[in-house]
Amino acid sequence: MKIVVTSLFVEDQEKALKFYTEKLGFVKKHDVPTGEYRWITLVSPDEQNGTELLLEPNVHPAAKEYQKRITSEGIPATMFGVADIHKEYNRLLENGVKFTMEPTKMGDVTIAVFDDTCGNLIQIIQQ
C-alpha cells in the first residue's frame, strides 16, 4: 500500500494553485471541474508520478474549524522535505514567502515554517 493523494484544506483554490506553483515550484497534475469547485492536485517537479497534494476547499464547517484551530496554535498542516533547508529558505524568501520560523536545528533535523497565504502553516524539513 502507498499514499497516492494527500489533502490540504485551502480557503481559495485559485490563490492556492498560484502560490503552490509560482512560489513553491510544485507542478499541476490535475485540474478537473467538480461542480462549484475543482479537483486540483500538485506534484513535486522531481517526482511527477509521486504522491499528489490535493488543494481541497475548506467549505465544510469542520474543515474551516480544523484549519483555523491548528493555524492559530502554530501547528503546521503538513510537511515538505528539502535537501538543503537554508538554500530553500533563501529561495522562498526571495519569492516573497513569509516565514513564522527560520531554519532551526532540532536534534538530527532542521525545520522552518511558513504561511501559505491560504490558511495554513507549512513546515519544511531537512533530514
Side-chain angles (χ1 to χ4, degrees):
M1 189 177 307
K2 67 180 184 173
I3 299 170
V4 177
V5 176
T6 186
S7 298
L8 183 66
F9 292 118
V10 296
E11 297 168 338
D12 179 318
Q13 284 185 299
E14 191 59 39
K15 181 179 179 184
L17 177 60
K18 186 173 182 173
F19 180 86
Y20 280 82
T21 56
E22 295 178 11
K23 301 277 186 187
L24 302 186
F26 286 101
V27 176
K28 181 170 58 173
K29 178 97 176 199
H30 299 285
D31 189 348
V32 179
T34 58
E36 185 179 348
Y37 302 101
R38 296 150 55 192
W39 176 267
I40 302 171
T41 65
L42 308 171
V43 291
S44 167
D46 301 326
E47 294 184 31
Q48 294 192 25
N49 291 318
T51 303
E52 297 176 35
L53 177 66
L54 173 63
L55 301 178
E56 188 160 352
N58 69 349
V59 295
H60 190 281
K64 286 183 182 191
E65 183 63 20
Y66 167 78
Q67 185 181 38
K68 178 181 166 187
R69 292 286 303 271
I70 66 168
T71 301
S72 71
E73 296 192 24
I75 301 169
T78 196
M79 178 188 310
F80 301 136
V82 297
D84 182 332
I85 199 163
H86 295 286
K87 182 178 176 182
E88 192 66 16
Y89 173 78
N90 289 321
R91 181 186 78 81
L92 294 175
L93 280 178
E94 289 173 9
N95 280 342
V97 175
K98 305 290 187 222
F99 280 79
T100 61
M101 176 192 273
E102 296 178 352
T104 304
K105 185 93 169 142
M106 300 215 174
D108 293 338
V109 301
T110 303
I111 63 170
V113 179
F114 63 85
D115 183 336
D116 78 350
T117 74
C118 304
N120 302 294
L121 296 176
I122 305 296
Q123 183 169 292
I124 56 175
I125 185 169
Q126 177 183 330
Q127 296 180 307

